[in-house]
């Protein structure tokens, strides 16, 4: 199993409705990516103060690396990814991706 963890620094001007629309678009990929098991998303709620400005994020759980790799190249994921890049502070610099294998 792979957990695809994506942490985001949204631009200050991004409204909560736009964040939710992005998370919904990611979750909808479950309909077109077999083996995409779960999506969790939302704001960072850690009290530690160690977020480095990545105050929002999502985690996608995949059956395996093959499913993750299919997801990464899927046209709908590419479109959502572009939307995320435009919504984050500094574009790609506002995104941190960390994948865990189980």
């Amino acid at each position: 199993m792979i957990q695809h963890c994506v942490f985001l620094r949204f631009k200050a001007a991004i409204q909560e409705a736009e964040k939710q629309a992005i998370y919904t678009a990611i979750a909808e990929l479950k309909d077109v990516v077999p083996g995409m098991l779960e999506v969790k998303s939302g704001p960072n709620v850690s009290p530690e103060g160690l977020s480095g400005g990545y105050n929002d994020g999502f985690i996608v759980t995949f059956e395996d690396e093959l499913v993750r790799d299919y997801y990464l190249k899927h046209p709908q994921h590419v479109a959502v990814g572009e939307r995320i890049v435009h919504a984050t502070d500094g574009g790609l610099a506002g995104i941190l991706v960390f994948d865990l294998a189980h």
Side-chain angles (χ1 to χ4, degrees), residues 5-10 19 42-57 89 93-98:
C5 308
V6 181
F7 305 109
L8 306 167
R9 287 190 307 226
F10 281 116
K19 293 178 187 181
N44 178 16
V45 296
S46 173
E48 296 179 286
L50 300 173
S51 70
Y54 294 93
N55 294 322
D56 295 273
D89 191 21
I95 303 168
L96 175 68
V97 177
F98 191 94

Side-chain angles (χ1 to χ4, degrees), residues 7 14 30 37 40 65 67-68 91 99:
F7 305 109
I14 298 299
K30 285 175 57 179
L37 305 175
K40 294 182 179 183
E65 291 177 18
V67 175
R68 189 251 343 251
D99 287 0

Side-chain angles (χ1 to χ4, degrees), residues 39-87:
V39 178
K40 294 182 179 183
S41 59
N44 178 16
V45 296
S46 173
E48 296 179 286
L50 300 173
S51 70
Y54 294 93
N55 294 322
D56 295 273
F58 59 93
I59 299 172
V60 180
T61 304
F62 299 103
E63 284 182 0
D64 56 32
E65 291 177 18
L66 291 175
V67 175
R68 189 251 343 251
D69 294 350
Y70 176 76
Y71 160 90
L72 292 175
K73 295 176 183 175
H74 195 283
Q76 282 180 242
H77 170 263
V78 172
V80 175
E82 289 174 3
R83 188 173 178 182
I84 292 169
V85 169
H86 291 303

Side-chain angles (χ1 to χ4, degrees), residues 2-23:
I2 298 285
Q3 286 191 303
H4 179 66
C5 308
V6 181
F7 305 109
L8 306 167
R9 287 190 307 226
F10 281 116
K11 293 176 183 174
I14 298 299
Q15 301 292 315
E16 190 62 33
E18 175 62 10
K19 293 178 187 181
Q20 291 307 313
I22 287 170
Y23 295 146

